[in-house]
Amino acid sequence: MKFTLPYTLMCTLLLAGCDTAFFRSAFNPYDMKVAGLSPTVRAMLDRGALNCGVSTGVEGFSLPDQSGNWTGFDVDFCRALAAVIFDDSEAVNYVPLGASERFSVLLNEEVDILSRNTTWTLTRDTLLGLGFAGITFYDGQGFMVPTNSRIQSAEDLQGAAICVLSGTTTELNLADYFRERGWHYEPVLYETEEPMMRGFLSGRCVAMTADQAKLFAMRSQSEHRDTMVVLPDTISKEPIGPVVRDEDQFWYDIVQWTLFALLNAEELGVSSSNIDERLQSDIPSVRRLLGQEANLASGLGLPNDWVVRAIRQVGNYDEIYERHLGRDGLGIERRLNHLWINGGLMYAPPMR
Ligand SMILES: N[C@@H](CCC(=O)N[C@@H](CS)C(=O)NCC(=O)O)C(=O)O
């Protein structure tokens, strides 16, 4: 039976500061009103745009052109969310954030989401009051060295000076790597990336370490790209995903299911180029994905065509990947980022 609460009582509870968890359990979750219970969504609707925290400029992930138009894999995830919420993938304010400041800016509500090469870890998830809504990209930490260096693999780095950004998992993994081996090394710490690249190019360190996709991006962005090479070693797991504040479960669900929808669309062969044809499909899972039957979006407080909006305006996961990171972008093989049916780890729960 559907649970309804008299309007006055609901207002009283809201004024009393009753938390959203109560409402979540008290209301029938398939009630469209739930969207009104997300402070993040409410603020976004008032503002008319999503505030998306991105990195300060990483080719393939988030990079502004000279007119200030942002493109990239992380940018497209925010565009998909804006399509879902506003039916307008352009309704996004991009906020470039360095590694050290990103979490406080999110917690201070200056952005609605971090879509910014951020690794999911236990402490970030539990101690900081953050929620990781999924994994958009499986990465791992690597090293870049000058092409003419004697260093062939990470095993040759004993005693080396290594350039690294502070406030990252990269810095911590680097320490673990050397501690485990009982080796000495000299961490050369930077706050932001540009000076780190300059330090590396000037020989301040013999290697630079970062997430591997990031190293490929930095190499591709540099006019000295032919003088540097990424080593074959991967020294960590870097599951990268969108981050929101813990307390807004409704917004978390929208972010999480938007990612799942992009993956399920790829799995079901629904793309921006065939969406009109696929809207005529008789296949039950395609019809559910595209809101042609069942009322699956009501639990998210969204209209039935929410996935159609995202796919039409931005594309499915494969399109986004290939556009920025794959064949039309950085040229990084999908590997772990393939769908599970293609030997990868990308596996979205069913939409039913
Ligand atoms: N995935 C790691 C590293 C994230 C990170 O911020 N990496 C640096 C480079 S190693 C970066 O992307 N910088 C781009 C920027 O600051 O705009 C983490 O979550 O701590």
Side-chain angles (χ1 to χ4, degrees), residues 55-58 97-99 102 116-119 124 165 168-170 193 210-211 214 238 240:
S55 56
T56 55
V58 182
L97 297 173
R102 60 188 148 166
R116 187 214 172 280
N117 41 0
T118 296
T119 304
R124 287 173 178 179
L165 277 200
T168 59
T169 50
T170 323
E193 203 165 290
D211 295 344
K214 187 64 217 319
E238 305 294 324
I240 305 284

Side-chain angles (χ1 to χ4, degrees), residues 19-21 24 37-40 106-109 128-131 244-252:
D19 72 20
T20 50
R24 200 170 165 70
L37 294 172
S38 162
T40 314
L106 175 65
L107 290 166
N108 289 337
E109 303 184 14
L128 290 187
L130 303 171
V244 293
R245 290 177 292 278
D246 239 353
E247 78 271 0
D248 193 336
Q249 185 65 35
F250 295 105
W251 173 228
Y252 178 96

Side-chain angles (χ1 to χ4, degrees), residues 186-221:
E186 183 200 342
V188 184
L189 290 172
Y190 292 90
E191 275 300 314
T192 54
E193 203 165 290
E194 224 191 304
M196 176 165 78
M197 187 56 145
R198 267 188 271 118
F200 174 65
L201 287 170
S202 70
R204 176 65 191 84
C205 49
V206 298
M208 176 163 68
T209 185
D211 295 344
Q212 274 161 347
K214 187 64 217 319
L215 291 175
F216 284 113
M218 287 172 92
R219 184 178 176 278
S220 160
Q221 263 173 297

Side-chain angles (χ1 to χ4, degrees), residues 73-94:
F73 179 85
D74 290 340
V75 166
D76 272 0
F77 188 64
C78 279
R79 291 181 63 236
L81 287 168
V84 156
I85 289 166
F86 298 106
D87 196 10
D88 179 4
S89 62
E90 302 311 303
V92 186
N93 301 320
Y94 296 99

Side-chain angles (χ1 to χ4, degrees), residues 15 24 32-33 38 72 77 89 106 129 176 196 246 254 258 272 285 290 316 318 323 339:
L15 286 172
R24 200 170 165 70
M32 291 291 281
K33 288 181 200 139
S38 162
F77 188 64
S89 62
L106 175 65
D176 281 0
M196 176 165 78
D246 239 353
I254 291 174
T258 298
S272 59
S285 49
L290 300 182
N316 66 28
D318 178 59
R323 187 184 302 145
L339 292 181

